[in-house]
Amino acid sequence: MSSLFPTYARWDLTIEEAEGAWVKDANGKEYLDFVSGIAVCSLGHRFGPVQKALSEQLEKVWHVSNLFGNQLQEEAASLLTKNSFADAVFFCNSGAEANEAAIKLAKKHTGKGTVVTFKQSFHGRTFAAMGATGQEKVRSGFGEMLPSFEYLPYNDEEALMELQGDHYAAIMLEVVQGEGGVIPGTAAFLKRVGEACKRLGCLLIVDEVQTGIGRTGTLFAHEGLLSPDIATSAKGLGNGFPVGAMLGTKELISSFQAGSHGSTFGGNYLAMAAVKAVLETVLGDGFLEKVRHMGEYLRRVLEKELDGHPMLEEIRGRGMMIGIVWKEPAGERIKEMRDNGLLVLPAGEHVIRLLPPINCTEEECRKAASIIKKVLGTRSKTMV
């Protein structure tokens, strides 16, 4: 009997070695990893500059608490603010914590109580983040949620236009819904979100936990589409080292003064070493351009390999965040891909989600597409 709470539906697979886009299980079998720790190891496993930065920091200092100055925090925050809409950063340990901070800041700054989120969204599993999540299965069994959230259909412009009142603190959304099915927001819908925030006098929170740090081909997915007041980041920000961040504009700084929020481990030296190495890589000359190219390449290869498949509904997403929408439950297909040496994820019952390292190669993209074609093609022949 395990000594762990059974909170995860674990695969019958234990990873013992990992490097780049490849992992090896306890039996020595290799897999092409298009899960990336659920969009976490975005630069691949054991990425050299991050590993070097962590190794060097291990020889200096790990943790002293936020009672002390921390130059690494300043340097990491500066990289974020100089390359985004934001003027200030709060560091924590996860995406859920970053979203908790965002909700707290929005309510404190506006003095209002209600946050609008969207059906099929996912914002985390702490109580406020769970309440913000627009999926009943995530909230089920935990009693009454915080009376703070209203849920609208995603990509529904009319529903946004119907919002009325002066009690809204914020509208909170993902530019591409990840766990909800890899659903990109349309340009028209995202424009309406910005207009609704102005009309209601509320803030805009963009959850970039899964989409941020290059995943969609720009540092943040909202670039050129939305002008947030607050954005959250985690996952790829530390490339495997636990870290989260909340970014905000200068107008909000006065609402988060000493004693208003905090995190014992947030912004510790090891996390900041990882963040700095990640950002220096992602913001390097030509890096994001290559990510955009690779996202387009992977999409083209998949479309070519699956062209005309009777069970394919669509291939959607942005950059290196792709969903293959299947006309039947995809769980068995995902398992077959794993048996054939490719790790991918579900995103709802009918979506096969691909989250490869954003710096993977064309050869690795072709390899993944060939396995996907092999598995899905075999299935199609039995149906015709």
Side-chain angles (χ1 to χ4, degrees), residues 33-36 41-42 215 298 320-321 354-358 360:
D33 184 7
F34 272 36
V35 172
S36 302
C41 297
S42 291
R215 174 59 55 184
L298 177 57
M320 299 297 270
M321 184 177 181
L354 279 59
L355 297 167
I358 62 177
C360 69

Side-chain angles (χ1 to χ4, degrees), residues 35-227:
V35 172
S36 302
I38 315 182
V40 169
C41 297
S42 291
L43 300 175
H45 297 281
R46 296 175 50 227
F47 181 65
V50 175
Q51 184 164 309
K52 181 174 183 289
L54 285 168
S55 297
E56 291 176 353
Q57 191 60 47
L58 280 168
E59 299 296 325
K60 298 177 182 178
V61 58
W62 301 5
H63 174 81
V64 294
S65 92
N66 284 304
L67 295 174
F68 299 85
N70 185 327
Q71 185 58 33
L72 270 181
Q73 278 191 19
E74 295 287 353
E75 292 170 6
S78 180
L79 283 170
L80 286 167
T81 58
K82 287 179 180 178
N83 293 280
S84 75
F85 72 96
D87 301 294
V89 180
F90 171 82
F91 286 113
C92 51
N93 307 288
S94 69
E97 285 187 34
N99 285 335
E100 289 274 337
I103 292 165
K104 284 181 66 174
L105 177 56
K107 290 189 173 192
K108 190 170 189 296
H109 184 77
T110 63
K112 301 175 183 179
T114 302
V115 176
V116 175
T117 64
F118 294 89
K119 295 177 181 178
Q120 297 175 268
S121 64
F122 183 82
H123 298 293
R125 295 186 183 275
T126 53
F127 223 74
M130 178 173 64
T133 293
Q135 299 185 52
E136 179 58 34
K137 67 180 181 181
V138 173
R139 305 191 300 267
S140 178
F142 294 99
E144 185 177 355
M145 293 292 105
L146 297 174
S148 305
F149 301 100
E150 293 182 11
Y151 313 104
L152 297 183
Y154 194 68
N155 275 332
D156 188 329
E157 298 172 49
E158 292 186 7
L160 280 168
M161 294 171 68
E162 291 173 1
L163 287 174
Q164 301 290 336
D166 59 1
H167 58 293
Y168 294 107
I171 296 177
M172 181 177 189
L173 83 163
E174 304 156 273
V175 176
V176 182
Q177 290 190 325
E179 303 295 326
V182 193
I183 304 170
T186 67
F189 170 72
L190 296 174
K191 180 181 178 182
R192 291 290 187 191
V193 170
E195 293 172 351
C197 288
K198 291 179 181 177
R199 175 168 54 83
L200 298 168
C202 69
L203 302 180
L204 173 58
I205 303 171
V206 180
D207 180 340
E208 293 266 12
V209 169
Q210 188 165 149
T211 55
I213 317 303
R215 174 59 55 184
T216 65
T218 51
L219 186 62
F220 292 108
H222 67 258
E223 293 175 25
L225 296 167
L226 287 167
S227 298

Side-chain angles (χ1 to χ4, degrees), residues 302-320:
L302 289 168
E303 289 172 347
K304 179 181 177 181
E305 296 287 22
L306 299 178
D307 182 46
H309 198 298
M311 296 305 295
L312 176 66
E313 187 168 313
E314 66 173 318
I315 298 173
R316 65 190 183 206
R318 281 182 56 192
M320 299 297 270

Side-chain angles (χ1 to χ4, degrees), residues 246-273:
M246 180 196 69
L247 292 74
T249 60
K250 61 179 179 294
E251 291 80 8
L252 306 178
I253 293 173
S254 62
S255 295
F256 249 27
Q257 295 293 304
S260 58
H261 196 54
S263 170
T264 297
F265 298 107
N268 67 77
Y269 281 93
L270 293 175
M272 294 301 95

Side-chain angles (χ1 to χ4, degrees), residues 236-295:
L237 183 62
N239 202 62
F241 198 95
V243 65
M246 180 196 69
L247 292 74
T249 60
K250 61 179 179 294
E251 291 80 8
L252 306 178
I253 293 173
S254 62
S255 295
F256 249 27
Q257 295 293 304
S260 58
H261 196 54
S263 170
T264 297
F265 298 107
N268 67 77
Y269 281 93
L270 293 175
M272 294 301 95
V275 168
K276 187 179 176 187
V278 166
L279 291 173
E280 287 174 345
T281 298
V282 172
L283 294 168
D285 289 344
F287 184 90
L288 288 170
E289 183 179 349
K290 291 178 182 177
V291 175
R292 291 191 290 273
H293 163 76
M294 199 56 61

Side-chain angles (χ1 to χ4, degrees), residues 324-335:
I324 301 171
V325 186
W326 213 233
K327 292 180 181 177
E328 65 176 4
E332 280 301 311
R333 308 288 79 75
I334 290 171
K335 183 180 182 301

Side-chain angles (χ1 to χ4, degrees), residues 351-370:
V351 180
I352 300 164
R353 180 172 31 153
L354 279 59
L355 297 167
I358 62 177
N359 57 348
C360 69
T361 66
E362 290 185 357
E363 182 181 357
E364 288 164 341
C365 288
R366 292 194 300 272
K367 175 70 173 176
S370 70

